[in-house]
Amino acid sequence: LKMSSSVSVSVEVPLENLVQEITYDGMELLQQPLTMSESLAKLAQRIDFCGQDEDGGAGSGSATAGSSNENGDIKEEDANGEGGPDANFKTAQSWPWESVRNKIRSALTELSVFGDILTIAQKKQYMVLDPVQADPSDTKPPAVLMYKKKALQAASQVLLSGCERLRASMNEAKSRPSLATLDFHIELLRLRQNWRLRKVGNAILGDLSYRTAGSRFPQGGIFEVTKAEDDSEDGNADSQSTSSQPQPPPPKPCSALRVTVPNELQGIAYIHVHVQKDQDTLSFANIGLPAPAPLDAHWQQRLEAAQNVLFCKELFSVLAREAVALHSMPIPPLVVGNQITATLFPGILLIIGLCHSITGKGQSPPAVSSKLDHNHVLEHSLHQLLREVHRTNSHIPLPHPATAPIGISRKRRLGGPCAYDRQTLLNMTKKEGILEEIIKQSQHVILRLRAMYFLDTLAKEIKDPLLVAHWASINAVTHSCVRITLVSSGYDMCARTQLVIHIKEKSLKAILKDGKAINLSYEPQELKDLLLCQIAIHQIMALQSLSKCLGWTVLSSCTHLGVGNCESTGNAAGCMLTSPNGKRILAVRSSPQAFMPAPSIQVFIGYPPNAKYTTQQNNNNNSAIPMEVDDVSAATTLGFEGMDLTAGVKYKSIRLDKLEGKNFLNKMEMLMAVLADVS
């Protein structure tokens, strides 16, 4: 019957090879079919050489199943197929590996018998109950002792002959010192201990560069090492051939080696760093300024001078490259030839120049004032910053995990787990160069010199109070700290004001006694105004402490007065004191301008109303300053009861320069002592 619908039947070829791997896209990779040699090895591994034949149970060694006769013919298997454990493997009547197995088994038997014979012949042990005694060997101790004595005597003769040769060579070297100093191999060994050497063909070359330390400077520092004797012989032969006249003998070389340095690395080189204002040098530093090495100098001096030239060139090339790419400053640095000029502050320049003289007789470092000292901090910073660049180039952080990119720092790796924003990651990638660091350090040096000069000048001009500056001995390269103490002479315990000033690159930060922080710019006038205000406040606070010791009462005190004449800088400080009996009032006003060569601190004495003055009033300039007393309770407190309050309290100014005393507090102490006894 014909079916209405056909059915598709798929026929697949069975897998002849096993599946080795299934890729991600579903493709199956099959194992390659075995070659003929691999198939033969696989079949040979399945041979059972220890299997028993079907007649092995009867104990007959000759009638084995599958054994071969003398002609090599293979016997037939048992008709029942009971051929031992190999019956399943031997599917045919004649097994192709039967002869191989029989021959290997017979060879194994023969080797076993031969091994037993050798064992019996060597050990002489038989299958008996009593072991056979071995013949004792004759050691002959005297003969062995003689052999050892002769061997030791021969070894001692070798050592003694070597010692004699060494002693003779040392004596010869002492008698002729030139042989010891001009030994080429000894000098070459010393040279190899300090410098990198390699042999290229018949020449010995060395390297002066810092590439092994991480330098990427393209200029090489290859030098050649030759024998000094060969060079001198060649020179003598040339001189004799050119001129027949007798010439003086050439000078003896100081070393058996002669190093040949490239022309661009000969001579001396150094980098001078100057901070100038107009034509005055404020600070300077010279980097890599060695003593000039003559052409006949020792090879160690010549190599050190050549390496110093290479170092100075590399350092200046890095600074020049950073100066061209630096655009963050308001006035970009200028690179002209071998000189870099950068602006630190208005009118103050930083000049970095490279000086190189091939002959060693070039221009000397520019003359500076004898009062200026070499700035070792700048020199050390330049060396340290270049070494840090070398270390960064050679020490690249390893990736974590191993599949991560190379060169990412540990902080950037924590950006994901710590959820850093884009700005934080950008700040991590930014790194200041050597030139930026040097500019910041130079700005800090200038700002610190300004502060030191101003503090010294102010301490000389102002004798009351005394200004003492304590500079911290341990500072950073861009951060210094100075503690300023204002002390009144003779009143150290009750009159002391301290403040701390932190000096940074372009700003100053002052921390006052009460903990208040004030940020200042690099202008010295701001620091001057701050210190004058602190001196004015110090005098008022010291006067209050002294008045309490003498029994006077502080009526009012203010560090920032809002009355009186307007001060050009800062605010005036003042206080009002009353005597113990309440008969007199002292009003003191201290302004910042009072400590300059202008007038002194203003002091006024308050008298009760309708009181008669005992002092002469012949000075119109020092007229009394009236002050109204509107509060009756205040008048009673002041001891003015029974007086006419409408007249008001009258004040009379006092000239402190006419009073006895070495400073302000001493004069006020005498004045308060006199006024306290007034009845």
Side-chain angles (χ1 to χ4, degrees):
L1 297 175
K2 188 178 181 181
M3 299 182 64
S4 59
S5 61
S6 61
V7 178
S8 301
V9 178
S10 60
V11 179
E12 296 182 359
V13 180
L15 293 176
E16 298 180 357
N17 300 322
L18 298 178
V19 177
Q20 181 180 2
E21 183 183 358
I22 300 177
T23 60
Y24 292 109
D25 55 355
M27 182 180 296
E28 297 180 353
L29 301 179
L30 303 180
Q31 293 183 353
Q32 297 295 332
L34 299 177
T35 60
M36 296 183 66
S37 60
E38 292 176 351
S39 301
L40 179 60
K42 184 177 181 182
L43 294 175
Q45 291 177 358
R46 300 177 62 182
I47 299 175
D48 185 11
F49 294 99
C50 298
Q52 298 292 334
D53 53 307
E54 57 185 5
D55 296 333
S60 176
S62 60
T64 57
S67 62
S68 60
N69 53 13
E70 295 179 357
N71 298 327
D73 298 335
I74 302 174
K75 296 182 180 180
E76 296 182 356
E77 294 291 333
D78 190 8
N80 297 331
E82 297 178 359
D86 296 338
N88 296 331
F89 182 75
K90 305 169 194 176
T91 57
Q93 241 179 5
S94 81
W95 183 41
W97 294 94
E98 187 70 20
S99 60
V100 177
R101 188 185 70 169
N102 293 338
K103 290 180 180 179
I104 294 176
R105 179 177 292 178
S106 62
L108 178 61
T109 303
E110 292 176 359
L111 289 176
S112 299
V113 174
F114 185 70
D116 294 339
I117 294 173
L118 291 178
T119 303
I120 294 172
Q122 182 181 4
K123 297 184 179 180
K124 298 187 179 189
Q125 296 179 357
Y126 304 94
M127 298 297 293
V128 293
L129 295 178
D130 295 332
V132 179
Q133 294 292 338
D135 297 336
S137 59
D138 189 6
T139 56
K140 298 181 181 180
V144 174
L145 183 60
M146 291 297 295
Y147 294 153
K148 291 183 178 179
K149 185 176 180 180
K150 289 183 179 180
L152 291 176
Q153 186 177 4
S156 63
Q157 289 294 335
V158 173
L159 294 177
L160 289 175
S161 62
C163 291
E164 290 296 334
R165 288 195 301 269
L166 288 176
R167 187 179 293 108
S169 62
M170 291 179 65
N171 293 335
E172 187 178 2
K174 290 181 180 179
S175 61
R176 300 172 62 185
S178 59
L179 294 179
T181 56
L182 298 181
D183 192 350
F184 175 76
H185 297 284
I186 293 179
E187 291 289 330
L188 186 62
L189 177 61
R190 296 175 182 173
L191 179 65
R192 188 179 179 184
Q193 291 176 352
N194 298 328
W195 305 92
R196 297 191 304 273
L197 298 178
R198 71 178 185 273
K199 189 173 183 181
V200 180
N202 295 329
I204 301 176
L205 302 180
D207 190 6
L208 297 171
S209 64
Y210 296 92
R211 292 178 182 176
T212 56
S215 174
R216 296 179 181 177
F217 190 54
Q219 182 176 353
I222 304 299
F223 64 93
E224 185 179 2
V225 181
T226 56
K227 276 188 177 182
E229 299 175 355
D230 299 342
D231 299 337
S232 61
E233 292 175 0
D234 297 341
N236 294 335
D238 296 340
S239 61
Q240 291 177 3
S241 60
T242 54
S243 62
S244 60
Q245 297 179 359
Q247 295 181 357
K252 296 182 179 180
C254 61
S255 176
L257 295 180
R258 181 177 180 181
V259 293
T260 304
V261 182
N263 295 331
E264 58 270 11
L265 297 182
Q266 292 181 0
I268 61 173
Y270 64 93
I271 294 178
H272 65 88
V273 181
H274 282 209
V275 180
Q276 293 184 354
K277 181 179 181 182
D278 297 335
Q279 298 298 328
D280 299 333
T281 301
L282 303 180
S283 179
F284 77 97
N286 294 324
I287 294 90
L289 183 59
L295 295 177
D296 57 347
H298 193 262
W299 52 265
Q300 182 69 18
Q301 299 178 3
R302 295 193 61 192
L303 292 180
E304 288 179 355
Q307 193 176 44
N308 179 72
V309 173
L310 185 64
F311 173 80
C312 293
K313 286 188 175 182
E314 180 180 0
L315 178 58
F316 186 80
S317 67
V318 174
L319 293 175
R321 184 170 60 252
E322 292 182 358
V324 173
L326 184 60
H327 301 288
S328 59
M329 298 181 62
I331 302 177
L334 181 62
V335 181
V336 178
N338 290 339
Q339 183 170 322
I340 303 173
T341 305
T343 303
L344 302 179
F345 296 107
I348 300 178
L349 301 177
L350 171 66
I351 300 175
I352 303 175
L354 172 64
C355 299
H356 181 207
S357 175
I358 297 179
T359 59
K361 300 180 181 180
Q363 59 178 357
S364 60
V368 295
S369 176
S370 59
K371 297 181 180 180
L372 294 177
D373 295 333
H374 176 75
N375 196 327
H376 297 279
V377 177
L378 284 178
E379 180 183 4
H380 178 268
S381 298
L382 285 171
H383 283 276
Q384 183 181 9
L385 291 173
L386 186 58
R387 296 294 189 273
E388 185 177 355
V389 172
H390 291 172
R391 186 182 183 281
T392 304
N393 296 335
S394 59
H395 294 74
I396 300 176
L398 298 177
H400 295 278
T403 57
I406 299 177
I408 298 180
S409 62
R410 181 175 178 271
K411 292 183 178 180
R412 291 184 60 188
R413 290 199 302 268
L414 296 177
C418 297
Y420 291 157
D421 56 355
R422 181 175 179 273
Q423 187 63 30
T424 305
L425 294 176
L426 289 177
N427 294 335
M428 291 181 182
T429 57
K430 294 180 180 179
K431 187 177 180 180
E432 295 181 349
I434 300 179
L435 184 61
E436 293 183 71
E437 290 287 343
I438 295 301
I439 290 176
K440 286 186 177 182
Q441 294 182 22
S442 303
Q443 290 175 342
H444 172 73
V445 168
I446 296 304
L447 204 56
R448 184 179 59 191
L449 290 176
R450 281 183 176 180
M452 294 174 63
Y453 174 77
F454 171 73
L455 292 177
D456 294 342
T457 304
L458 196 63
K460 292 179 182 179
E461 293 178 354
I462 300 178
K463 301 299 183 181
D464 182 26
L466 300 178
L467 191 147
V468 183
H470 297 274
W471 290 88
S473 59
I474 301 177
N475 298 314
V477 292
T478 57
H479 192 170
S480 299
C481 181
V482 56
R483 179 167 58 90
I484 300 175
T485 305
L486 302 177
V487 180
S488 296
S489 178
Y491 301 89
D492 301 348
M493 300 303 297
C494 61
R496 181 183 293 267
T497 302
Q498 295 181 350
L499 66 152
V500 179
I501 298 178
H502 295 273
I503 304 173
K504 301 179 181 179
E505 299 94 351
K506 293 184 178 181
S507 62
L508 291 86
K509 183 178 181 181
I511 301 177
L512 305 183
K513 186 177 181 180
D514 54 355
K516 184 179 179 181
I518 300 177
N519 295 319
L520 307 175
S521 66
Y522 59 85
E523 293 293 340
Q525 185 63 33
E526 296 186 9
L527 179 61
K528 180 179 180 180
D529 297 341
L530 174 65
L531 291 180
L532 292 180
C533 291
Q534 291 300 312
I535 292 175
I537 296 174
H538 165 79
Q539 296 287 46
I540 297 299
M541 294 301 174
L543 180 59
Q544 295 181 26
S545 301
L546 179 61
S547 64
K548 292 178 182 179
C549 297
L550 297 178
W552 285 62
T553 305
V554 180
L555 298 179
S556 65
S557 175
C558 183
T559 57
H560 302 284
L561 290 178
V563 296
N565 298 329
C566 182
E567 304 292 339
S568 59
T569 57
N571 295 320
C575 65
M576 294 186 66
L577 309 174
T578 179
S579 60
N581 55 11
K583 298 297 184 180
R584 293 292 183 268
I585 298 176
L586 283 178
V588 183
R589 176 188 174 89
S590 176
S591 63
Q593 285 77 16
F595 300 95
M596 301 309 292
S600 60
I601 303 176
Q602 298 177 353
V603 180
F604 303 94
I605 300 178
Y607 292 92
N610 299 329
K612 295 182 179 180
Y613 303 147
T614 58
T615 59
Q616 297 179 359
Q617 301 181 9
N618 55 1
N619 191 357
N620 297 329
N621 295 331
N622 297 331
S623 58
I625 300 178
M627 179 177 290
E628 299 294 337
V629 179
D630 298 332
D631 193 356
V632 179
S633 60
T636 304
T637 305
L638 297 178
F640 298 152
E641 55 272 14
M643 300 293 180
D644 187 6
L645 298 179
T646 57
V649 179
K650 298 185 180 298
Y651 288 87
K652 182 68 176 178
S653 63
I654 296 177
R655 296 181 60 183
L656 290 178
D657 55 343
K658 298 298 183 180
L659 295 179
E660 295 292 336
K662 60 181 181 179
N663 53 24
F664 169 71
L665 289 184
N666 196 355
K667 295 178 180 181
M668 293 302 297
E669 182 181 6
M670 295 183 62
L671 179 60
M672 288 187 292
V674 172
L675 294 179
D677 296 336
V678 176
S679 58

